């Protein structure tokens, strides 16, 4: 029975196409499956190209062919295209910042005054925070625990007063609250550094100064919202907090 199975010779295999080789192997494996090992379903085929060099190809019963080398080249080129150079990202961010300042060019002058007041308020707040405990210890003889407790109470009272000054801001308006807040803050700081009494010091630190801070910081945020529109409001608030950080950055070297 085995002698009746037709086997193609090597010359016919070398001149046949991969599709015909695939059909020959399927026919031979289906007719003689009981006599042939499963490994015979996939075997290397040798052919020659026009230059005479030998080419080895493997065909299996599933019809898979060797991968095309051009696909690897396309994958590499696509990877190079997807990777954006860092310079383009910097240019994109620069264009975004430029567009933001352009959108604020037609804003009213009150917006830029609010930015200036925010810088001055941030500089005063952070510079005062840096020397606060040292001032209480050196000039009033307080211990580190006492100075730290007063410093913590000052920061907490700013938040407490801020919960109750909302109605005051709504009734008096933005401009009047800003004037009251900054004038009261100025005289409170002058009184703190000029007084010799602990009672006056505590009144200024725990009442007038926190109250003045509450009239300044939230009102500036209201002003930024009022003097901008939906298109440039996001950039305006971002610039608002950048100016606050710039004031804190300048305060450190100036105090030193």
């Amino acid at each position: 029975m085995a002698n009746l199975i037709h086997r193609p010779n090597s010359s016919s295999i070398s001149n046949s196409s991969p599709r015909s080789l695939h059909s020959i192997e399927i026919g031979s494996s289906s007719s003689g499956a009981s006599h042939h090992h499963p490994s015979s379903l996939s075997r290397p085929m040798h052919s020659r190209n026009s230059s005479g060099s030998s080419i080895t190809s493997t065909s299996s019963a599933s019809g898979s062919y060797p991968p095309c080398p051009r696909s690897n080249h396309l994958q590499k080129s696509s990877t190079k295209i997807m990777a954006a150079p860092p310079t383009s990202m910097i240019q994109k961010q620069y264009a975004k910042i430029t567009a933001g300042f352009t959108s604020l060019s037609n804003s009213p002058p009150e917006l830029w005054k609010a930015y200036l007041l925010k810088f001055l308020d941030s500089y005063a707040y952070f510079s005062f925070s840096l020397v606060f405990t040292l001032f209480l210890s050196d000039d009033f003889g307080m211990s580190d625990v006492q100075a730290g407790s007063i410093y913590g109470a000052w920061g907490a009272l700013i938040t407490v007063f801020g919960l109750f000054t909302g109605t005051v801001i709504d009734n008096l308006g933005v401009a009047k609250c800003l004037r009251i807040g900054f004038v009261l803050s100025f005289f409170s700081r002058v009184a703190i550094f000029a007084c010799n009494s602990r009672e006056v010091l505590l009144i200024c630190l725990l009442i007038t100064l926190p109250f003045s801070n509450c009239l300044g910081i939230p009102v500036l945020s209201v002003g930024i919202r009022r003097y901008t529109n939906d298109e440039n409001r996001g950039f305006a608030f971002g610039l608002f907090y950048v100016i606050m950080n710039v004031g804190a950055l300048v305060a450190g070297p100036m105090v030193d």
Side-chain angles (χ1 to χ4, degrees):
M1 187 65 181
N3 296 328
L4 296 178
I5 298 174
H6 175 69
R7 297 179 180 275
N9 55 20
S10 61
S11 61
S12 62
I13 291 175
S14 62
N15 296 326
S16 60
S17 61
R19 188 177 297 276
S20 61
L21 294 176
H22 176 61
S23 60
I24 290 173
E25 287 192 1
I26 292 176
S28 61
S29 61
S30 60
S31 60
S34 60
H35 298 280
H36 295 279
H37 196 270
S39 62
S40 62
L41 296 177
S42 177
R43 63 187 66 183
M45 297 299 174
H46 300 276
S47 61
R48 295 183 178 274
N49 55 12
S50 59
S51 62
S53 60
S54 176
I55 300 176
T56 303
S57 62
T58 304
S59 62
S60 60
S62 60
S64 61
Y65 296 97
C68 179
R70 187 179 179 185
S71 62
N72 297 330
H73 176 70
L74 293 176
Q75 290 178 358
K76 293 180 180 179
S77 61
S78 62
T79 306
K80 294 179 180 179
I81 294 174
M82 292 297 293
T87 54
S88 63
M89 297 178 63
I90 296 175
Q91 292 175 356
K92 184 178 179 180
Q93 293 297 325
Y94 177 78
K96 187 177 180 180
I97 295 173
T98 304
F101 278 105
T102 304
S103 64
L104 295 178
S105 60
N106 296 325
S107 300
E110 288 78 8
L111 178 65
W112 305 104
K113 294 178 182 178
Y115 285 141
L116 177 61
L117 291 175
K118 181 61 179 177
F119 173 78
L120 295 176
D121 182 75
S122 298
Y123 175 77
Y125 176 84
F126 288 105
S127 60
F128 184 73
S129 300
L130 292 173
V131 300
F132 190 94
T133 55
L134 296 176
F135 170 73
L136 295 180
S137 299
D138 295 341
D139 291 11
F140 289 90
M142 294 185 182
S143 64
D144 294 339
V145 176
Q146 292 175 339
S149 299
I150 296 175
Y151 178 80
W154 170 60
L157 287 172
I158 293 176
T159 304
V160 173
F161 280 115
L163 298 175
F164 301 101
T165 54
T167 55
V168 177
I169 295 172
D170 293 336
N171 293 327
L172 296 180
V174 174
K176 188 175 291 186
C177 286
L178 281 176
R179 294 189 187 100
I180 295 173
F182 278 93
V183 170
L184 186 60
S185 177
F186 174 76
F187 284 106
S188 297
R189 297 177 192 276
V190 172
I192 288 172
F193 291 104
C195 71
N196 295 321
S197 173
R198 286 196 176 190
E199 289 76 12
V200 176
L201 175 70
L202 293 178
I203 291 173
C204 294
L205 287 177
L206 302 180
I207 297 177
T208 59
L209 188 60
F211 182 73
S212 63
N213 289 333
C214 292
L215 290 178
I217 298 173
V219 173
L220 289 176
S221 300
V222 174
I224 296 297
R225 179 177 178 83
R226 178 173 297 182
Y227 299 131
T228 54
N229 52 41
D230 294 336
E231 296 180 356
N232 58 10
R233 185 166 294 140
F235 181 82
F237 273 103
L239 183 61
F240 181 75
Y241 290 105
V242 168
I243 291 175
M244 180 188 70
N245 293 323
V246 171
L249 183 65
V250 174
M254 293 297 292
V255 170
D256 292 339

